[in-house]
Amino acid sequence: MAKRKLLVLIWILVITHHSGFSQINADWKLLENRFSNPEFHQAELSLINSGTTTIQEGWKLYFNTIFISVNTVSKVSDTQIRHLQGDFFVFEGQTAEIKPGGRFSIPYQSRGPFLKNSYAPEGLILVHADGKVEEINKYETQSLSEAELAEMAKASPLPIPSAQARYEENRKLTFLSDAEIPPFLPSPKKWKYTGEPIRIQNAGAAVVGSEEFSEATKFLLLSLRKGYKPQVDRSQAPINIKITKVEGMAEEGYSLKISNRRVDILASTPKGAFYGVQSFLALMKPDFWDQPSSEITLPQVEIEDEPAFGYRGFFLDVARNFQSKEQVKKTLDLMAFYKLNVFHFNLANDEGWRIEIPGLPELTEYGSRRGFSTDESDFLWPYYGSGSLPEKSKTGTGYYSVADFQEILAYAKERQIEVIPELGVPAHSRAAILAMEKRYRELMKAGKTEQARQYRLADPEDQSNYLSAQNFKGNTICVCQESTYAFYEKLVVEILKMYTGAGVELKNWHTGGDEVPRGVWTESPICKGFLAENPELKVEDLNDYFRYRADQILKKHGLAMGGWEEIGQTHSGNEVIPNPKFADQNWRLYAWNAVAGWGGEDMAYRLANAGYPVVICSSANFYFDLAYDWDPDERGHTWSGVVDMYQSWKTVPGKLYLSHDKTIEGNAWDWSEAEKRFTPLTELGKRNILGVSGQLWTETVKGPEMMEYYLLPKMLGYIERAWQGDPDWSKAGSESEMKAKREVEWNQFVNLVGQKELPRLESIFGGFNYRLPRPGVMIKDGRVLVNSAFPGLLIRYTDNGSEPDENSPIYREPIPYFSGYSPRFKLFTQGGRSGRSAGLE
């Protein structure tokens, strides 16, 4: 039997003036899971009446899930599971009464196999026949173990992990001494230790810097004061830190030398000085960030460093599920510490509008709020299970005021981070469309016809039939009316004012532009009229027309246009190709759609060769919302495979065909065959690769702790690539040489992460909720062997099947195995943080 787990929803209050706990409980179980053709799964969602009154017939059940088909079939006669929008569904029809103690089961079938325990329906809301609404707050879902999923998937090549497979993966890892690993992450280009670290207690510290580096000097001084608070002993020689400007270094390059108690940071620009400061702080012991101390340790080291890429970005989506201003600032701290320099901020999407726009209050009054209603008249539906009451929803409801946003901008500027806003158009715009429709209705009622039409985004008579990639209808603005461009320019003007008011220059704007659904505008009367007036255009030209108009608006205000790769693509038959029409416009393209094995893995190169500046955002390597692995308990998407720290670390931006070992289906990826298929970068193409970006989309991310778990430590592999560029192993001669060198370099990297970065992440900036993997376990020659993905971490165990804790014994050597023995093992850091346990499954 599969184990069951209890999911308790946090919302216990229902709307329409009903209070108290729901009298309905629910459970969900998987009935069949097929990975062979045809792929599908069958499951059963059941309601149990735990109250004392009958649930009358005619009720409806609303719920969320991204992970069933929009054509999911109910097996209950005279009922249906109807898709509403996005991940929101309703079960309705001839629903029978449920007497006290009774159960009503809803078996259903959906295409595609069931992969993750978090993919079960969630956010259950019962609407009674009389209209009373209540959230179901007690809900159990069946959970699959790795072994159960592996059995179901045995006909497929999917690499479902196991304790033994983890052991084999970890087997070649060995513990390295401090002298054998780089001093910090991202690894500096050149470094050498010149002596043993010196411990200093109660010595004074002086920080001085060139006038041009006053901000970096102040930043270091304030940071130093947080961790080092001596009772100054004047008999002690002081620590002297000097930040000096020199000519001729790379823009973001620096050198750092610590000799005895003297620290010299040299740079040519404020950016370089800032990164030198961050490197000095990265040399501090992890406990420096925990609590102030009168002691500091100075390693004796010489470093010369500069980044491989000028664009080292991190993209955060706060539209799907909101993150607070405080969490955004914490993320900026993390970015700055690891020398990322571009924050790509996705502020609007179908599921939410997250930025105040003066003059358009409806965008936040309506578009920033999610809750339950039958018609979305006052706020958006509770996408991603965000709860029925807008005021109670921490992930569905929220936005940044002008003041909030300016605070974020100033905070980023202090950390040498450029903030690029994304307000995606023309698709992904349903929140804005509905907000502007609400504005239209209210102004029309007030008799203000001209104002009502000023910023309207929809064609109310449009009968075009389409569905977006995220299963939204009506999510694409009408590009054939001038009010659309008035709206877009209004956004540009107001956000430009916010930057100016914060003392920050806005240079780059991200238009989104991705995933425009097939079939849009085809049955729009407004567009038909527009095309009749412009016979040189056809309906398939409207996307390019919109891009041109958006670019004109941005150029008018001195801004450079960027967007996802689609804004620089067109179709030749069924093939997607670079669009030559805009190749000379200097549009920055973010190349994302690189699913391993689907044929588009070299699109970044093709676009760069065509003349477009390109940021590599490879979904198969740098999408952090993808699950860590195929363990059914690891949350996250799998549409582009899975991504862990190794997958992001082993990316080779200059030879992307070396970045994979398996296709998304789990089949072997042949490097030599892939190289033959790949378009090589031309000299122009090489110049057009601006850098890389890591992405966190948040459909499955709820709250700050979950966000941090998704990011860390997998993001650390990306951080290394963003600064270092192509790894050394990729420059070896043969495939066997590359793979042998890759093993050596990976071992060094995991030692760096395990010994230095994970301990630091426990306390820096308040600490992060990073993930620790399960240990590898296997039985060999009558003994239980256990290992770790991070050499040096503690492995604790129990003999009786209970969960190990920080008082459990430490595993130090193989343990004799005997029949019935059921130990469990778990990784622990020195600070007591632990991961999930593993046994002899």
Side-chain angles (χ1 to χ4, degrees):
M1 287 289 291
K3 69 180 186 291
R4 303 180 72 85
K5 67 181 179 182
L6 184 64
L7 300 180
V8 181
L9 302 183
I10 64 171
W11 307 282
I12 63 173
L13 205 61
V14 301
I15 61 178
T16 62
H17 308 291
H18 176 78
S19 61
F21 287 96
S22 169
Q23 66 173 323
I24 288 284
N25 299 341
D27 61 38
W28 178 92
K29 62 182 178 181
L30 187 64
L31 303 176
E32 184 177 1
N33 202 18
R34 182 173 295 182
F35 285 77
S36 56
N37 194 22
E39 296 182 340
F40 67 85
H41 70 274
Q42 293 192 46
E44 184 176 86
L45 179 61
S46 297
L47 305 181
I48 305 99
N49 186 350
S50 60
T52 58
T53 59
T54 296
I55 305 298
Q56 299 299 320
E57 63 182 17
W59 50 266
K60 296 180 180 182
L61 180 68
Y62 292 80
F63 62 90
N64 299 89
T65 178
I66 314 169
F67 303 105
I68 64 173
S69 164
V70 296
N71 298 314
T72 292
V73 176
S74 168
K75 300 289 187 177
V76 181
S77 60
D78 299 319
T79 67
Q80 64 173 336
I81 293 176
R82 182 164 60 92
H83 173 246
L84 297 172
Q85 287 282 358
D87 77 326
F88 202 43
F89 292 79
V90 60
F91 173 75
E92 61 185 1
Q94 299 297 315
T95 52
E97 67 177 22
I98 312 175
K99 293 182 178 179
R103 171 186 287 264
F104 185 97
S105 295
I106 309 167
Y108 64 85
Q109 180 170 316
S110 174
R111 62 177 172 81
F114 185 84
L115 297 170
K116 297 284 183 181
N117 291 321
S118 58
Y119 286 6
E122 61 180 351
L124 310 186
I125 297 173
L126 185 73
V127 177
H128 293 256
D130 64 0
K132 183 179 69 177
V133 178
E134 57 183 316
E135 291 188 270
I136 296 176
N137 54 71
K138 192 173 183 182
Y139 178 37
E140 293 183 350
T141 64
Q142 176 185 352
S143 289
L144 296 176
S145 67
E146 287 179 337
E148 288 168 331
L149 185 61
E151 176 63 24
M152 294 171 179
K154 62 184 179 183
S156 81
L158 279 184
I160 308 300
S162 66
Q164 182 169 336
R166 289 188 183 93
Y167 185 88
E168 289 298 325
E169 288 175 3
N170 302 337
R171 191 167 50 83
K172 295 181 180 179
L173 300 177
T174 58
F175 182 82
L176 299 178
S177 69
D178 192 64
E180 296 175 281
I181 59 179
F184 49 74
L185 178 72
S187 305
K189 290 292 175 65
K190 295 180 182 178
W191 56 274
K192 68 175 181 178
Y193 291 113
T194 56
E196 292 297 315
I198 60 171
R199 294 171 60 185
I200 302 169
Q201 194 164 26
N202 289 325
V207 181
V208 296
S210 300
E211 183 178 349
E212 299 94 328
F213 299 159
S214 59
E215 291 185 6
T217 304
K218 179 182 177 183
F219 188 92
L220 175 55
L221 186 61
L222 294 176
S223 299
L224 197 59
R225 285 175 178 171
K226 291 178 183 177
Y228 181 53
K229 293 197 174 180
Q231 301 293 319
V232 177
D233 179 354
R234 298 197 178 278
S235 66
Q236 287 253 12
I239 302 167
N240 289 304
I241 304 174
K242 190 174 183 180
I243 309 174
T244 305
K245 181 174 181 177
V246 296
E247 298 298 334
M249 300 184 75
E251 182 183 9
E252 296 180 290
Y254 67 92
S255 72
L256 169 62
K257 181 179 180 180
I258 304 178
S259 179
N260 200 352
R261 300 182 182 215
R262 181 181 174 90
V263 179
D264 282 298
I265 298 171
L266 307 180
S268 296
T269 70
K271 290 181 181 179
F274 181 76
Y275 293 133
V277 164
Q278 292 289 14
S279 291
F280 174 77
L281 294 172
L283 292 168
M284 300 297 99
K285 297 282 188 182
D287 59 9
F288 176 86
W289 307 97
D290 196 12
Q291 54 186 3
S293 171
S294 62
E295 183 175 288
I296 192 170
T297 300
L298 293 182
Q300 304 298 285
V301 66
E302 294 180 3
I303 294 168
E304 292 182 18
D305 203 9
E306 65 180 86
F309 295 118
Y311 189 110
R312 303 179 303 281
F314 173 64
F315 163 95
L316 177 63
D317 161 35
V318 294
R320 270 62 181 271
N321 279 310
F322 188 65
Q323 294 287 342
S324 70
K325 176 183 67 177
E326 291 70 28
Q327 187 65 17
V328 170
K329 290 167 69 175
K330 186 179 180 183
T331 302
L332 292 169
D333 280 328
L334 184 76
M335 289 178 61
F337 185 78
Y338 287 119
K339 304 183 176 76
L340 301 180
N341 64 354
V342 181
F343 182 46
H344 178 176
F345 204 6
N346 185 40
L347 294 161
N349 220 297
D350 296 316
E351 305 92 326
W353 185 279
R354 306 302 187 188
I355 178 75
E356 177 187 7
I357 301 295
L360 297 177
E362 299 84 2
L363 287 170
T364 48
E365 290 173 359
Y366 176 90
S368 75
R369 302 170 69 229
R370 294 210 299 252
F372 179 76
S373 67
T374 57
D375 59 3
E376 275 190 301
S377 58
D378 295 318
F379 37 75
L380 296 165
W381 273 327
Y383 300 112
Y384 312 119
S386 54
S388 67
L389 296 174
E391 60 270 23
K392 298 287 186 179
S393 177
K394 292 182 179 179
T395 58
T397 294
Y399 71 92
Y400 308 107
S401 68
V402 170
D404 290 335
F405 188 61
Q406 289 181 319
E407 186 178 333
I408 289 169
L409 293 176
Y411 201 80
K413 182 183 179 184
E414 290 173 359
R415 287 152 182 79
Q416 296 293 333
I417 294 172
E418 177 187 6
V419 180
I420 298 179
E422 179 182 344
L423 298 167
V425 284
H428 291 287
S429 297
R430 194 163 184 276
I433 290 168
L434 294 186
M436 291 300 94
E437 284 300 283
K438 185 175 178 64
R439 178 181 186 275
Y440 173 82
R441 291 192 300 270
E442 291 173 350
L443 288 172
M444 288 296 286
K445 286 179 185 176
K448 300 178 180 179
T449 304
E450 186 175 345
Q451 282 182 261
R453 293 173 177 168
Q454 184 179 10
Y455 298 121
R456 199 174 192 189
L457 301 176
D459 175 355
E461 305 301 323
D462 189 354
Q463 297 299 309
S464 302
N465 184 22
Y466 64 86
L467 196 65
S468 78
Q470 286 75 34
N471 296 326
F472 280 94
K473 296 163 272 191
N475 84 327
T476 306
I477 62 180
C478 179
V479 301
C480 304
Q481 57 189 6
E482 286 305 307
S483 55
T484 289
Y485 302 100
F487 172 82
Y488 202 62
E489 185 161 15
K490 172 71 171 173
L491 301 183
V492 172
V493 168
E494 293 299 335
I495 288 182
L496 194 51
K497 288 179 184 176
M498 295 180 208
Y499 275 75
T500 302
V504 177
E505 183 182 6
L506 176 60
K507 298 177 289 186
N508 295 293
W509 183 281
H510 199 289
T511 62
D514 60 319
E515 297 180 327
V516 177
R518 288 180 180 270
V520 295
W521 310 311
T522 53
E523 297 301 324
S524 161
I526 291 176
C527 283
K528 287 183 178 180
F530 175 80
L531 292 172
E533 294 171 3
N534 297 272
E536 73 279 8
L537 296 176
K538 298 178 182 178
V539 68
E540 55 266 30
D541 298 319
L542 290 176
N543 219 341
D544 281 354
Y545 171 77
F546 175 78
R547 293 162 184 164
Y548 168 78
R549 291 289 305 273
D551 184 46
Q552 293 302 109
I553 291 170
L554 294 171
K555 283 179 177 173
K556 175 182 173 182
H557 294 282
L559 304 179
M561 181 158 126
W564 298 107
E565 63 185 45
E566 286 93 327
I567 72 168
Q569 293 174 331
T570 188
H571 285 82
S572 176
N574 291 324
E575 184 184 2
V576 177
I577 62 172
N579 189 347
K581 187 184 301 184
F582 303 115
D584 62 350
Q585 295 300 301
N586 205 37
W587 293 357
R588 181 185 288 173
L589 304 188
Y590 291 69
W592 64 276
N593 194 356
V595 182
W598 286 10
E601 306 90 347
D602 65 347
M603 181 54 72
Y605 294 177
R606 294 165 65 191
L607 292 167
N609 289 348
Y612 290 99
V614 170
V615 177
I616 295 174
C617 308
S618 172
S619 60
N621 306 90
F622 298 151
Y623 267 43
F624 304 138
D625 53 306
L626 297 179
Y628 276 94
D629 58 30
W630 294 98
D631 177 347
D633 275 332
E634 283 292 351
R635 294 181 60 90
H637 282 294
T638 59
W639 64 268
S640 190
V642 294
V643 171
D644 59 6
M645 188 174 75
Y646 182 56
Q647 179 69 6
S648 60
W649 172 87
K650 69 183 177 69
T651 307
V652 185
K655 298 178 181 178
L656 281 170
Y657 56 87
L658 297 178
S659 303
H660 312 291
D661 291 325
K662 293 182 182 295
T663 68
I664 183 176
E665 293 85 6
N667 295 313
W669 173 275
D670 188 301
W671 286 358
S672 59
E673 289 300 315
E675 183 180 8
K676 294 174 187 176
R677 298 192 305 270
F678 259 62
T679 301
L681 278 171
T682 62
E683 288 305 312
L684 172 64
K686 290 175 184 177
R687 293 194 299 272
N688 275 333
I689 299 296
L690 303 180
V692 292
S693 179
Q695 284 66 231
L696 184 66
W697 299 93
T698 59
E699 294 101 318
T700 64
V701 181
K702 300 174 183 181
E705 288 193 353
M706 196 177 289
M707 171 184 166
E708 292 171 6
Y709 181 94
Y710 272 64
L711 289 178
L712 298 166
K714 77 170 71 168
M715 184 180 181
L716 300 182
Y718 160 74
I719 285 164
E720 183 78 345
R721 289 285 69 78
W723 187 264
Q724 282 280 329
D726 289 358
D728 287 341
W729 63 261
S730 67
K731 301 161 191 171
S734 67
E735 181 172 328
S736 60
E737 288 176 313
M738 283 191 282
K739 289 185 175 178
K741 286 196 69 176
R742 187 173 69 172
E743 284 183 7
V744 172
E745 291 174 28
W746 174 243
N747 187 59
Q748 186 184 57
F749 185 75
V750 295
N751 271 272
L752 169 59
V753 171
Q755 293 186 45
K756 297 188 176 183
E757 302 309 322
L758 295 186
R760 189 193 339 268
L761 287 170
E762 288 188 51
S763 55
I764 193 171
F765 310 129
F768 290 87
N769 180 44
Y770 62 81
R771 171 188 182 264
L772 283 175
R774 301 168 80 178
V777 185
M778 73 176 298
I779 301 170
K780 185 177 182 180
D781 300 329
R783 299 184 303 167
V784 181
L785 309 179
V786 191
N787 63 15
S788 165
F790 293 108
L793 264 62
L794 301 175
I795 303 172
R796 297 185 182 273
Y797 71 99
T798 58
D799 286 323
N800 57 6
S802 63
E803 286 292 302
D805 60 29
E806 54 186 308
N807 297 313
S808 299
I810 297 173
Y811 170 87
R812 301 185 188 278
E813 59 186 4
I815 300 171
Y817 173 75
F818 54 88
S819 179
Y821 185 45
S822 59
R824 295 206 68 78
F825 303 89
K826 186 182 286 189
L827 297 186
F828 284 80
T829 65
Q830 294 290 346
R833 184 174 182 79
S834 63
R836 290 167 52 215
S837 67
L840 303 177
E841 298 92 345

